[in-house]
Amino acid sequence: MKLKHVMIVLKKEIKDLIRDRRTIISSIVLPMILIPLINIVMGGSIQKLEKDMNENVTVALSQSSNTAEVRELVRDRILSKNPNIVLVDADDPARAIENDEIRCIIDVENTYAEKLNKGQPIKITLQYDESKTKSQAAAEIVSMAVGEFSAEVVEERIVAMGFDPAILQPVQVEWENIAPADKGNNMMLEMLLPFLISMLIAIGGIPAATDLVAGEKERNTFEPLLTTLPDRGSLLLGKYFAVTLFSFVSLVAILVGLAIGYMVNPNSLTVGIDSGLQGIMLDPLAIVLALLITIALGMTFSGIQIALSTIAKSYKEAQTYLSFLMLATMVPGYATMFTQATDLSPVMFALPVMNTVAAFKMLLGGRIDYFNLVLALGTSIVFVAVTLAFAASLFKKEKVMFRN
Amino acid sequence: MIEVIELVKKFGDFTAVDNISFKVNKGEIFGLLGENGAGKTTTLRMLATMLRPTSGRAALKGYDTQKEPEKVRAQIGILFGGETGLYDRLTVAENITYFGELNGMSKAAIRERIRYLAQAFGMEDFINKRAAKLSKGMKQKAAFARSIVHDPDIMLFDEPTSGLDVTAARDVHDFILRCKEEGKTIVFSSHSMSEVDKLCDRIGVIHKGKLVDCGSVEELKKKHGDDDLEELFVRLVGAK
Ligand SMILES: Nc1ncnc2c1ncn2[C@@H]1O[C@H](COP(=O)(O)OP(=O)(O)OP(=O)(O)O)[C@@H](O)[C@H]1O
Ligand SMILES: [Mg+2]
């Protein structure tokens, strides 16, 4: 095996792949644009929904309770707490909900004034449409306002009886966050970013791998290549590094895409939910280890992808095998997506894909644990060696190399 | 120059090449004549070190194909029939350069060689065009040029005219003769008796993996007493 030959092949494959529109689109353009775009759009719509739910909460009184006194009570005493609630008039309140003109109907029983005076409970019914998120949210918001009104009445009555309202609250609960100040809440980021990094590095080389072996066989360029001076090992390594490089390129592409998305809309990074970029562990050694683990994952998958592309009898078949590989890759990815940085186990660090997910979760929110990182790197190197040896053994197999 | 001794290749239970021996002298064109599935491609692949013989051995310029495969590959140029095997997304010059680099040539030598080949094959107009954009004839010229970029002493052709029209086939024949003029030793396989007759100094008739007969066309004709080449071929093949 000669480095010179490896470099010649690598250089040529890069040139060749860069000119392949199919590879460029699927390993660079799509990850760079698609995922950040999904994040922005999804994040945008989640935020918009949240805003819509809390603002402009239009309500109306039921027909039976739509009297001047009730309106005054509701408007001045109950709803005045929350300026976002707007009381409107509706001839047919039920239809108005149906047509999204209002979100909630307030029904106050007729005898309310008398009961209020006598100190009896009055009944207020909130009618809403469970199938509408905004209507449901409105009912909750109004219910809160009613609760506050109720508390006010209680306080008035207690005071009227000559007591201190404080007797109603024998215990006061206070919440205090004692997490270190630099440990922010990166839950969403911890969930998404390690997953995306691992997925992209694991599947980013697929278009290149398909093209570089199955594609060459299909186009009849492989046999002439095999008759040139370099040994099979050099040819394999040249292709292997080209595939690894492309998986990195697609990882970089998505990171660039996410960064641009972050600049356009900071919340896009976390799909619109609490964008926290604080509290990320910037431990240089841990970052280096995580990067090495990522590189090893990329190499491991290059090996598998080249092997599958070599086994395949045609380009189509290679595409099929590699899309199965892609689905298989997602299993460990999704399995660990919701694991929190504080719950990482050594097993995760010892398995491919999961190890990269775990390493980045640790960087984003956990305590740095070098033992686990080194464990992940150690096992990763074993995976790299095994998969590369497998691909190399296939390159030596006549049965696989010359199928016809 | 080329020595093949009791070469055998089995694929599982199936014997594709069965105990073949022949010699090719320097500067000779040797034709491997046989029908479909006779074992021509398999034999050439063993010569090119792509397949390992099950038994027997082959040596090119004194280098054993199994012991010194890289030395062997450095001596040979190959042209396989059917597709030209050019990289569509590379230009003609880049295709040639790639093979030159792989075969250990320096950048300067490659540049010089491409200039020469472009002129020799009349490729100046499309030397910097991508292979995908070329006509069939242009691709063929490019493939010729690529196969001899490193000026190998031995050329292996596997049914180089299969699927070609008459003009293209004649271009291939001209190329083979040109290689001979340059002093190269040539093995080429074919299933066409007339083609072999036109080009070869000597032929080996191969049938179901076995070498049925071997010698110059004249010798074979004399030996079997027949002038009609096709007839001779059928007789030789049917003999076993
Ligand atoms: N890799 C392989 N595995 C199994 N059998 C093979 C393999 N390669 C060739 N064969 C078989 O060996 C026999 C000889 O094949 P070969 O390709 O050498 O014939 P050929 O003379 O080149 O024929 P053709 O004119 O069709 O090219 C055929 O029966 C073929 O099916
Ligand atoms: Mg053949």
Side-chain angles (χ1 to χ4, degrees):
Chain A
M1 204 177 329
K2 285 214 185 98
L3 185 64
K4 197 179 81 184
H5 294 153
V6 176
M7 292 310 293
I8 292 170
V9 176
L10 175 60
K11 214 177 69 189
K12 178 262 165 187
E13 300 302 11
I14 293 171
K15 192 190 281 178
D16 206 345
L17 286 172
I18 285 177
R19 292 181 187 172
D20 180 24
R21 205 173 303 145
R22 199 161 33 177
T23 304
I24 293 302
I25 289 176
S26 45
S27 53
I28 301 180
V29 180
L30 280 185
M32 183 135 107
I33 294 177
L34 201 60
I35 293 177
L37 202 65
I38 290 174
N39 277 6
I40 289 180
V41 171
M42 229 166 82
S45 64
I46 289 177
Q47 278 183 318
K48 183 169 176 299
L49 182 66
E50 216 175 271
K51 202 173 143 206
D52 283 354
M53 279 189 323
N54 291 310
E55 280 177 12
N56 253 331
V57 183
T58 43
V59 299
L61 290 170
S62 69
Q63 260 163 344
S64 58
S65 52
N66 196 359
T67 63
E69 299 97 77
V70 175
R71 201 174 309 121
E72 195 185 301
L73 169 82
V74 169
R75 191 181 54 219
D76 297 344
R77 291 221 52 194
I78 301 180
L79 301 184
S80 57
K81 313 280 177 313
N82 188 339
N84 284 326
I85 307 176
V86 187
L87 183 65
V88 298
D89 247 335
D91 292 335
D92 183 351
R95 163 139 323 150
I97 286 199
E98 179 84 38
N99 295 340
D100 293 323
E101 287 155 18
I102 60 165
R103 297 183 188 172
C104 180
I105 302 166
I106 302 173
D107 179 76
V108 183
E109 63 180 327
N110 290 334
T111 50
Y112 82 94
E114 187 190 333
K115 283 186 175 172
L116 204 57
N117 279 335
K118 284 191 189 155
Q120 285 170 349
I122 60 172
K123 198 164 90 189
I124 294 181
T125 310
L126 302 178
Q127 291 172 325
Y128 68 100
D129 181 341
E130 174 120 338
S131 69
K132 294 184 179 188
T133 318
K134 285 181 198 168
S135 176
Q136 211 178 347
E140 270 159 36
I141 290 166
V142 173
S143 159
M144 228 133 69
V146 173
E148 275 177 53
F149 165 67
S150 174
E152 241 175 53
V153 174
V154 171
E155 209 173 306
E156 281 166 15
R157 287 179 186 167
I158 298 275
V159 172
M161 286 178 196
F163 291 112
D164 182 353
I167 62 162
L168 282 178
Q169 221 180 30
V171 182
Q172 218 169 3
V173 182
E174 273 192 17
W175 295 58
E176 207 175 329
N177 178 12
I178 59 156
D182 64 345
K183 251 189 82 178
N185 175 13
N186 298 319
M187 206 180 74
M188 270 318 268
L189 204 60
E190 262 172 55
M191 213 166 84
L192 293 177
L193 201 57
F195 173 77
L196 286 177
I197 289 175
S198 314
M199 284 302 111
L200 261 289
I201 196 75
I203 67 177
I206 286 181
T210 321
D211 194 75
L212 291 193
V213 188
E216 274 224 24
K217 278 191 187 175
E218 186 118 330
R219 295 188 292 266
N220 291 303
T221 54
F222 205 37
E223 210 162 314
L225 178 63
L226 294 176
T227 63
T228 57
L229 188 147
D231 62 313
R232 301 246 172 110
S234 307
L235 300 180
L236 169 68
L237 277 187
K239 289 173 179 293
Y240 175 78
F241 287 127
V243 173
T244 308
L245 186 76
F246 266 76
S247 60
F248 265 88
V249 167
S250 62
L251 173 58
V252 171
I254 198 179
L255 292 181
V256 168
L258 287 174
I260 294 172
Y262 181 74
M263 285 188 277
V264 173
N265 174 1
N267 287 336
S268 72
L269 206 53
T270 47
V271 204
I273 299 166
D274 82 47
S275 78
L277 261 187
Q278 74 278 52
I280 292 165
M281 298 283 170
L282 291 175
D283 178 324
L285 181 60
I287 291 176
V288 169
L289 284 170
L291 281 179
L292 289 176
I293 293 165
T294 312
I295 292 174
L297 184 67
M299 290 169 76
T300 301
F301 273 82
S302 295
I304 300 174
Q305 287 154 10
I306 290 220
L308 290 177
S309 182
T310 309
I311 290 170
K313 292 191 188 78
S314 67
Y315 191 84
K316 274 258 144 58
E317 202 177 295
Q319 281 182 318
T320 310
Y321 289 167
L322 288 166
S323 20
F324 276 122
L325 176 71
M326 189 150 116
L327 291 178
T329 311
M330 292 184 170
V331 174
Y334 278 115
T336 46
M337 194 169 179
F338 298 100
T339 310
Q340 290 207 292
T342 41
D343 295 335
L344 302 171
S345 72
V347 179
M348 282 177 66
F349 285 91
L351 295 173
V353 183
M354 288 193 181
N355 55 14
T356 311
V357 174
F360 280 95
K361 277 186 194 278
M362 184 188 275
L363 285 188
L364 284 176
R367 204 179 315 119
I368 299 296
D369 174 355
Y370 291 108
F371 172 79
N372 278 338
L373 287 177
V374 171
L375 170 73
L377 186 57
T379 50
S380 298
I381 290 170
V382 175
F383 296 135
V384 171
V386 170
T387 49
L388 183 56
F390 178 52
S393 76
L394 289 174
F395 256 58
K396 297 224 165 68
K397 270 218 175 82
E398 293 176 352
K399 264 215 187 86
V400 189
M401 294 298 271
F402 303 97
R403 284 185 199 274
N404 45 13
Chain B
M1 199 63 163
I2 300 175
E3 212 175 346
V4 176
I5 303 164
E6 295 174 1
L7 210 54
V8 175
K9 181 68 192 181
K10 291 187 178 175
F11 295 111
D13 289 340
F14 178 74
T15 309
V17 171
D18 195 355
N19 205 18
I20 282 183
S21 304
F22 62 85
K23 266 186 199 167
V24 185
N25 300 315
K26 188 171 169 10
E28 241 180 17
I29 302 184
F30 183 81
L32 269 178
L33 187 62
E35 342 166 85
N36 286 348
K40 305 179 295 288
T41 302
T42 307
T43 306
L44 288 172
R45 278 178 177 165
M46 283 191 282
L47 291 183
T49 78
M50 287 192 277
L51 293 176
R52 278 179 300 274
T54 310
S55 68
R57 59 189 249 4
L60 286 80
K61 263 181 102 179
Y63 299 117
D64 188 285
T65 54
Q66 294 194 79
K67 288 181 196 131
E68 295 178 289
E70 289 183 38
K71 289 233 169 75
V72 171
R73 285 199 294 273
Q75 311 300 328
I76 57 175
I78 290 206
L79 202 66
F80 285 174
E83 293 290 319
T84 50
L86 295 172
Y87 293 100
D88 275 348
R89 298 188 290 263
L90 299 189
T91 67
V92 174
E94 284 165 346
N95 265 289
I96 299 174
T97 303
Y98 186 40
F99 274 50
E101 287 178 340
L102 288 171
N103 284 309
M105 295 170 74
S106 73
K107 284 223 156 62
I110 293 172
R111 218 174 306 129
E112 190 50 44
R113 184 76 173 152
I114 288 179
R115 200 164 332 161
Y116 165 77
L117 291 168
Q119 202 203 359
F121 291 102
M123 303 191 296
E124 284 108 331
D125 292 342
F126 57 88
I127 192 82
N128 288 319
K129 273 204 181 140
R130 293 201 188 169
K133 300 233 162 75
L134 303 183
S135 71
K136 257 192 154 171
M138 293 171 172
K139 277 188 181 178
Q140 194 168 45
K141 286 178 180 172
F144 291 162
R146 188 178 71 170
S147 70
I148 54 166
V149 57
H150 54 307
D151 199 12
D153 290 335
I154 296 171
M155 288 297 294
L156 305 177
F157 294 88
D158 187 24
E159 300 202 31
T161 55
S162 80
L164 298 184
D165 62 24
V166 185
T167 352
R170 194 163 50 221
D171 287 341
V172 173
H173 294 162
D174 290 346
F175 177 59
I176 292 175
L177 290 173
R178 171 198 199 107
C179 288
K180 182 185 162 85
E181 266 166 42
E182 288 178 7
K184 299 188 195 309
T185 307
I186 296 155
V187 178
F188 101 95
S189 79
S190 171
H191 55 247
S192 150
M193 187 70 185
S194 58
E195 182 178 69
V196 167
D197 183 35
K198 175 179 165 191
L199 297 171
C200 294
D201 298 306
R202 292 190 315 120
I203 56 174
V205 181
I206 178 170
H207 181 60
K208 291 192 176 161
K210 289 196 165 65
L211 197 67
V212 194
D213 212 335
C214 190
S216 71
V217 180
E218 300 308 312
E219 279 168 11
L220 291 186
K221 282 180 190 167
K222 215 178 278 170
K223 192 165 145 194
H224 297 276
D226 205 318
D227 259 358
D228 185 9
L229 295 167
E230 292 303 332
E231 191 105 329
L232 175 61
F233 178 38
V234 171
R235 185 118 46 85
L236 284 172
V237 162
K240 293 251 162 167

